[in-house]
Amino acid sequence: MSSSKSPPVSKSPPVSPLAPGRLPEMPPVAGVRLATAQAGIRYAGRTDVLYVGLDEGTRAAGVFTRSKCPSAPVDWCREALSGGAARALVVNSGNANAFTGRLGREAVALTARIAARAAGCNEGEVFIASTGVIGEPLPAERFEGVLGDCAGRAEAGGAAWTEAARAIMTTDTFPKLATRSTEIDGTRVTINGIAKGAGMIAPDMATMLAFVFTDAALPQPVLQALLAEGTRTSFNCVTVDGDTSTSDTLMLFATGAAGNAEVSQESDPRLAGFRAALDDLLIELAQLVARDGEGARKLVTVRVEGAESDASAHRIALSIANSPLVKTAVAGEDANWGRVVMAVGKAGEPADRDRLAIWFGAVRVAVEGARDPAYSEHAASAVMREPEIEIRVALGLGSGTARVWTCDLTKAYVEINGDYRS
Amino acid sequence: MSSSKSPPVSKSPPVSPLAPGRLPEMPPVAGVRLATAQAGIRYAGRTDVLYVGLDEGTRAAGVFTRSKCPSAPVDWCREALSGGAARALVVNSGNANAFTGRLGREAVALTARIAARAAGCNEGEVFIASTGVIGEPLPAERFEGVLGDCAGRAEAGGAAWTEAARAIMTTDTFPKLATRSTEIDGTRVTINGIAKGAGMIAPDMATMLAFVFTDAALPQPVLQALLAEGTRTSFNCVTVDGDTSTSDTLMLFATGAAGNAEVSQESDPRLAGFRAALDDLLIELAQLVARDGEGARKLVTVRVEGAESDASAHRIALSIANSPLVKTAVAGEDANWGRVVMAVGKAGEPADRDRLAIWFGAVRVAVEGARDPAYSEHAASAVMREPEIEIRVALGLGSGTARVWTCDLTKAYVEINGDYRS
């Protein structure tokens, strides 16, 4: 742990070469106001706390890490979700408040108390997330005064969103934002989201966090169902190194301020547009995380088709996306399909070696369990030199499909995470 | 694939700093004779084929990769094992004969034909293993003449064992050998083993191979049971990067030449000594593989205790040993126990965050779900600077235990596997 090190000054690592060219223009979301501050949790010279005020009537949905050792804020949010209502969100960077025992629970309770006073709500309507170092007590008393001040000056405007995305960064090299606009039964609604994380990973840190806000009016069960479903094809399909955080948190807040007619079933066709917009936004945020994977120079999309089921396809796709040998081959721009075969084989899912076909980009490199007779090393190598690469595997067994995103495994990843004290 | 590259000349990479100081003296194993040759499969200027002649009456046992895309030789050995008898083993390096379709099956059949002629036995008594590049046809016709010559000059002596271990190396930086002597019911028996592999991994390659020979007389079912059981605590407990090969093969041959009384039950107490010696030898060979992990500078032993079951402990231990974040922290000599918590949490096995205790070497860094009050960064850092490190986790739930070996994840791993064509 870096507990005894001096607090890291905000460094400016080079921005990932896979970062989008520009940040999106974020419209306001009615009922949502944001402010950031320097609470001095760990970093010096940068914001490290985000406060989001939510209008009365806001409903919350959330999905959280499946880690058996979740952080104290994850435990808190799971509990608070049972109420279904939200009035404030507090996110800090620099300390994950994970594996902190009794002190961790006390820090969360204190944070909720301070935030509830600032927002004028019950503690059970406060949601909390923390990202940063594991195992160190979070000095939550530093939020005293800070959150009240944030509540007073919170704003709805576009710049506040960018500042929010910046305040929750740890080893991220760029802020991650996305926005969509759609309609529910003729009423225009907005969805804004922010995220942080370099996959499930970060040096001395742990956390992938994402927060999505909409002015749509939606019952909590519908909100939860839409979020859980959207997660399946977005955040659960992104991996940098397979190291699931203790703190992974994705929340969706709906203020209802758009005034659309409430729809009580998530399967209602009037929600088709909203569902599509939400899914799309979640995918964009998830991709942004892969694009900021530590040390990443290439974005890899892995598609698996013809599996016995979607679940089977998903496990095979993750086996490929998490394989160090596949990821180092991508880093080396090596069209090494033998390693893709290896990763398919080790997934433990139904696969028939002699029906397998593999593509890098549009180039088929293997078919019917052997090298493609028309294989061109030249064409495959050209694909591998691109910054964005698709690896596609057809199993020929059924109709199960999956798509996951990852990045390459470079020496910079080892350097960033190795700490190399000496 | 490196199919279009010129054949790699035998390079001499620096020997792993974790290599043993000297090679063991290998005694003969009665009924076993070995020879190596240059068949020119892929490498120039080095031996690339091992022929082992086995006396009549030799019984064989084997365990193989669980990959759903196994190599052609693995399919062959599984089939040949049903006969239970062995007269010859042929192992080549440079080409794994994996994902080679019909050509792969033909190459295996041709190899068996040539070897059977050389050994004067049935094709079903020939066992075959291949290690090297995936997806390229194996030119088995090059064994013609070579295997017959090998059979003529095969020897039992110590140097032949070292030469055998060298001939099957691919990216290994040192030959891997181990020997044990024990008794069965008063009769002295010898066990010799050789292995290759840098874990489950190798650049452009795939394969962990190990072959163990004994002069003990043991029925095939007993042999198979002892081998399967020994694998559980040895080779199934070693990982370099979690990338399971298409070709993993571990075989045990028993010539019976020692003339001990046959024992028909593996649970017979007269086999206690043999079982212990075999297990010990398998562990030594497995550790040698971890010591030669690509780019490895540190050997890591992960011990898990207090799990709900041994199987649960094993999965948690592998989750720690395969975590890129844990492995890069070890490379960086960083006593980062937060990442161990993360790896325990992501394993999906029963764990109670608030009962967890973690040690690096003899230094307890965490207890009862939080940092050890007596934690000393200085003491923990001293442990991390050692070349061999033990990470111990106590779950406090039950009596399940496990022990696995791995190595650190260094920039050299990425370099070796990245190929960095440019």
Side-chain angles (χ1 to χ4, degrees):
Chain A
M1 299 305 297
S2 45
S3 50
S4 65
K5 298 180 200 169
S6 54
V9 177
S10 166
K11 282 176 286 186
S12 296
V15 171
S16 165
L18 303 168
R22 51 195 290 279
L23 299 176
E25 303 257 346
M26 303 291 282
V29 174
V32 179
R33 292 166 319 283
L34 313 95
T36 61
Q38 298 189 16
I41 295 302
R42 180 177 164 86
Y43 302 117
R46 58 158 278 190
T47 57
D48 59 0
V49 61
L50 163 67
Y51 171 89
V52 185
L54 300 158
D55 275 4
E56 214 166 330
T58 297
R59 286 136 179 184
V63 290
F64 303 94
T65 180
R66 287 182 196 152
S67 172
K68 301 285 179 177
C69 300
S71 67
V74 165
D75 281 350
W76 174 273
C77 287
R78 281 202 173 102
E79 173 77 23
L81 258 193
S82 62
R87 294 297 309 286
L89 167 69
V90 179
V91 187
N92 74 272
S93 54
N95 185 315
N97 194 15
F99 213 64
T100 41
R102 182 181 50 81
L103 292 177
R105 289 184 285 274
E106 289 173 4
V108 163
L110 177 57
T111 306
R113 215 152 50 233
I114 298 170
R117 223 181 312 126
C121 69
N122 296 325
E123 291 165 20
E125 295 169 311
V126 174
F127 290 82
I128 299 169
S130 296
T131 172
V133 65
I134 291 181
E136 275 190 62
L138 173 71
E141 65 280 2
R142 296 191 192 161
F143 295 136
E144 197 73 71
V146 170
L147 299 185
D149 174 64
C150 281
R153 60 184 169 77
E155 290 175 16
W161 288 94
T162 310
E163 287 313 307
R166 278 192 204 285
I168 65 173
M169 286 166 56
T170 54
T171 53
D172 304 63
T173 71
F174 60 88
K176 300 172 183 65
L177 307 104
T179 182
R180 294 290 185 281
S181 174
T182 181
E183 283 185 4
I184 298 179
D185 204 19
T187 305
R188 181 129 306 263
V189 302
T190 300
I191 316 175
N192 278 5
I194 62 174
K196 66 83 52 180
M200 268 58 84
I201 63 137
D204 259 356
M205 316 271 178
T207 310
M208 195 290 301
L209 301 180
F211 306 99
V212 181
F213 305 85
T214 179
D215 51 3
L218 290 166
Q220 202 277 339
V222 171
L223 212 56
Q224 183 67 37
L226 290 173
L227 183 65
E229 202 183 302
T231 304
R232 227 174 30 85
T233 54
S234 57
F235 284 100
N236 282 353
C237 293
V238 64
T239 177
V240 168
D241 53 12
D243 272 352
T244 303
S245 156
T246 55
S247 312
D248 291 340
T249 296
L250 165 61
M251 293 198 71
L252 169 60
F253 299 96
T255 66
N260 57 284
E262 285 231 352
V263 176
S264 62
Q265 293 294 328
E266 68 263 22
S267 55
D268 192 306
R270 286 174 295 169
L271 286 183
F274 184 85
R275 180 199 302 269
L278 176 64
D279 288 356
D280 206 42
L281 176 135
L282 291 175
I283 286 172
E284 180 174 342
L285 287 176
Q287 279 194 350
L288 287 173
V289 170
R291 284 177 184 277
D292 207 7
E294 287 169 340
R297 296 182 308 177
K298 296 191 187 276
L299 178 71
V300 181
T301 303
V302 178
R303 280 179 193 274
V304 172
E305 59 193 41
E308 283 206 346
S309 67
D310 287 352
S312 179
H314 184 71
R315 282 190 284 269
I316 290 169
L318 279 181
S319 178
I320 297 167
N322 279 325
S323 159
L325 285 177
V326 171
K327 293 158 79 82
T328 49
V330 172
E333 304 188 339
D334 180 12
N336 195 322
W337 57 269
R339 296 185 183 172
V340 177
V341 176
M342 177 280 301
V344 171
K346 80 164 180 165
E349 292 296 315
D352 179 344
R353 180 186 58 199
D354 299 336
R355 293 194 201 184
L356 221 52
I358 299 170
W359 289 256
F360 288 118
V363 179
R364 192 174 68 180
V365 292
V367 62
E368 288 176 4
R371 189 168 62 201
D372 193 318
Y375 175 76
S376 154
E377 171 89 10
H378 180 74
S381 290
V383 169
M384 300 310 286
R385 285 193 295 272
E386 295 292 322
E388 302 191 13
I389 293 166
E390 179 174 290
I391 299 175
R392 182 155 66 97
V393 173
L395 293 163
L397 298 178
S399 59
T401 63
R403 180 177 54 166
V404 311
W405 299 276
T406 190
C407 56
D408 53 346
L409 172 55
T410 66
K411 284 196 262 188
Y413 172 92
V414 177
E415 191 162 273
I416 292 166
N417 286 298
D419 193 23
Y420 291 105
R421 316 176 159 204
S422 61
Chain B
M1 299 305 298
S2 45
S3 51
S4 67
K5 297 181 200 169
S6 53
V9 177
S10 168
K11 281 178 286 188
S12 295
V15 172
S16 165
L18 302 168
R22 51 195 291 278
L23 298 176
E25 302 258 346
M26 302 291 281
V29 174
V32 179
R33 291 165 318 285
L34 313 95
T36 61
Q38 298 188 16
I41 295 304
R42 180 175 164 87
Y43 302 116
R46 57 157 278 189
T47 57
D48 60 0
V49 61
L50 162 67
Y51 171 90
V52 185
L54 300 158
D55 274 4
E56 213 166 332
T58 297
R59 286 136 181 185
V63 290
F64 303 93
T65 180
R66 287 181 194 149
S67 171
K68 301 287 181 178
C69 300
S71 67
V74 165
D75 281 350
W76 174 272
C77 287
R78 280 204 174 101
E79 174 77 23
L81 258 193
S82 62
R87 294 296 310 284
L89 167 69
V90 179
V91 188
N92 75 272
S93 55
N95 186 316
N97 193 14
F99 213 64
T100 40
R102 182 182 48 80
L103 293 177
R105 288 184 286 275
E106 289 172 3
V108 163
L110 177 56
T111 306
R113 214 152 50 233
I114 297 170
R117 222 181 311 127
C121 68
N122 295 327
E123 291 165 20
E125 295 168 310
V126 174
F127 290 83
I128 299 170
S130 297
T131 173
V133 66
I134 291 181
E136 274 188 64
L138 173 72
E141 65 281 1
R142 297 191 192 162
F143 296 135
E144 196 73 71
V146 171
L147 299 185
D149 174 63
C150 283
R153 60 185 169 78
E155 291 175 15
W161 287 95
T162 309
E163 287 314 307
R166 280 192 203 284
I168 65 173
M169 285 167 55
T170 53
T171 53
D172 304 63
T173 71
F174 60 87
K176 299 173 183 63
L177 307 105
T179 181
R180 293 290 185 282
S181 173
T182 181
E183 285 185 3
I184 297 178
D185 204 18
T187 304
R188 181 130 307 264
V189 301
T190 300
I191 316 174
N192 278 5
I194 61 173
K196 66 82 52 179
M200 269 60 84
I201 62 140
D204 259 357
M205 317 274 177
T207 311
M208 195 291 301
L209 301 181
F211 305 99
V212 181
F213 305 85
T214 180
D215 51 3
L218 289 166
Q220 202 278 337
V222 171
L223 213 56
Q224 183 67 37
L226 290 173
L227 183 65
E229 202 184 303
T231 304
R232 226 174 29 85
T233 54
S234 58
F235 284 101
N236 282 352
C237 293
V238 65
T239 177
V240 168
D241 53 12
D243 272 351
T244 304
S245 156
T246 54
S247 311
D248 291 342
T249 296
L250 165 60
M251 293 198 72
L252 170 59
F253 299 95
T255 65
N260 58 283
E262 285 231 352
V263 176
S264 62
Q265 293 294 328
E266 69 262 22
S267 55
D268 192 306
R270 287 175 293 170
L271 286 183
F274 184 86
R275 179 199 302 270
L278 175 64
D279 287 356
D280 206 41
L281 175 136
L282 291 174
I283 286 172
E284 180 174 341
L285 287 175
Q287 278 194 351
L288 287 173
V289 169
R291 284 178 184 277
D292 207 7
E294 286 169 338
R297 295 182 309 177
K298 296 191 188 276
L299 178 70
V300 181
T301 304
V302 178
R303 280 180 192 275
V304 173
E305 59 193 43
E308 284 205 345
S309 66
D310 287 353
S312 179
H314 184 71
R315 282 189 284 269
I316 290 169
L318 279 181
S319 178
I320 297 167
N322 279 324
S323 159
L325 285 176
V326 171
K327 294 159 78 83
T328 49
V330 172
E333 304 189 338
D334 181 12
N336 195 322
W337 57 268
R339 295 184 183 173
V340 178
V341 176
M342 175 281 299
V344 171
K346 81 164 180 166
E349 292 296 314
D352 180 344
R353 179 186 60 199
D354 299 337
R355 294 192 201 185
L356 220 52
I358 299 169
W359 290 256
F360 288 118
V363 179
R364 192 174 68 182
V365 292
V367 63
E368 289 177 5
R371 188 167 63 201
D372 193 317
Y375 174 75
S376 155
E377 171 88 10
H378 180 75
S381 290
V383 169
M384 301 309 288
R385 285 193 295 272
E386 297 291 323
E388 302 192 14
I389 293 166
E390 179 175 290
I391 299 175
R392 181 155 66 97
V393 173
L395 294 162
L397 298 178
S399 59
T401 63
R403 180 177 55 166
V404 310
W405 298 276
T406 189
C407 57
D408 54 346
L409 172 55
T410 66
K411 284 196 263 188
Y413 173 92
V414 177
E415 191 162 274
I416 292 167
N417 287 298
D419 194 21
Y420 291 105
R421 317 176 158 205
S422 62

